[in-house]
Amino acid sequence: MILVTGGTGMVGAHLLLHLLQQNEAVRAIYRSEKSLLKTKNLFQLENCLDLFDKIDWIQADINDIPALEKAFTNVTEVYHCAALISFDPKDEDQLRKVNIEGTANMVNCALDFGVEKFCYVSSIAALGDTKNGEKIITEATEWNPEKNHGDYALTKFGAEMEVWRASQEGLNVVVVNPGVIFGKGFKSGSGELLQKIEKGFPYYTKGSTGITSAQDIVAIMTELMNKNIFGERFTIVSDNVILQDLLNTLADNLHKKRPYFYVKPYITSMAWRLDWLVSKLLFQKRTFTRATAKSSHSVDIYDNSKIIQQLNYTFTPMKDYLATVSLAHQKAL
């Protein structure tokens, strides 16, 4: 039996579909009945509703040990995809609770129940920091604790430390660090970007980021597990793209006006400070932080050569995939 956490999120839902198409027996954790609809929607988009009924759903939380123990019964493999994604400093405690403590609970249960294989979905946010003059980030790039990191990045890095601790205790683990993930059927994550473009988002920067498709990450994860490749981490990035180019591509796919207002670094510097002030005065969640302002102008390049060489893997062309995702988004409106 394979256990998947985060089965109602983009990666977890695509992973469940992929595993079921490979005739695997899968169990998935969910928190509410409403959240199941997101996964069911994906299966419907792919004309695979019959497979959805084969999932062994268990209502649980990764910070609820008794519920987790029930979920781990007879499990031999685990894909830990569940995470909290937030860039609001007010969510620091919850980010630590879910991403670090939750991951610690998962690997501890995996050790206690004799799980044979464990795959953890981290993020490029948890990769290291380039030094002055460097631009390329690999799996071996060192994390600099003195640099300013957002709470999300810090907690994903902390979660990885729990996974590597479990590895030292005998658990077979592999870690994947995906870039921004695009996939069908989800309004959260990269889906929020599509919604902004749909509404006429006018702003762009000239920073860069790494992107990948949901279908690539789940294919890579399962192949790593099937080939028993453990004790390694892999950067999962199909393409490194300039943010302006990415936004233009999405706007073109959705037949919307391209973003036209270039936001210079000094403007984003003022913007995150203004956002902080507004959040204090109106008791609102932060929408733009210092960390996101910095990342919007970063031009680091994420090196994917390790996974390509390890699996002889060919990534899905992102231009075509983004067109497919955009079309699915339009149909869902």
Side-chain angles (χ1 to χ4, degrees), residues 3 5 69 90 101 122-123 128 133 150 153 156 165 169 219 222 237 265 271 276 284 286 295 299 304 306:
L3 175 64
T5 69
E69 290 177 343
K90 292 180 181 178
E101 293 182 33
S122 184
S123 167
K156 293 299 281 187
R165 183 262 302 170
E169 296 178 22
T222 52
V237 167
W276 173 85
Q284 296 178 347
R286 296 289 301 277
S295 65
V299 290
N304 63 4
K306 182 178 179 180

Side-chain angles (χ1 to χ4, degrees), residues 65 99-112 118 120 157-173 175 231:
I65 303 300
N99 295 348
I100 299 178
E101 293 182 33
T103 300
N105 292 335
M106 287 296 300
V107 295
N108 289 341
C109 283
L111 287 165
D112 291 343
F118 191 102
Y120 174 58
F157 179 79
E160 281 196 33
M161 295 303 99
E162 292 294 339
V163 174
W164 296 125
R165 183 262 302 170
S167 176
Q168 293 296 314
E169 296 178 22
L171 183 62
N172 290 322
V173 305
V175 174

Side-chain angles (χ1 to χ4, degrees), residues 80 86 107 187 202 234 236 247 257-258 270 272 288 291 296 299 333:
H80 180 32
S86 174
V107 295
K187 295 181 179 180
F234 295 92
I236 313 300
L247 294 174
K257 185 176 181 178
R258 290 184 172 189
M270 291 189 295
W272 75 258
F288 196 70
S296 68
V299 290
L333 293 177

Side-chain angles (χ1 to χ4, degrees), residues 85 186-198 329:
I85 301 175
F186 284 82
K187 295 181 179 180
S188 58
S190 60
E192 294 179 359
L193 186 56
L194 289 165
Q195 292 181 78
K196 287 183 177 180
I197 295 295
E198 186 72 37
H329 173 79

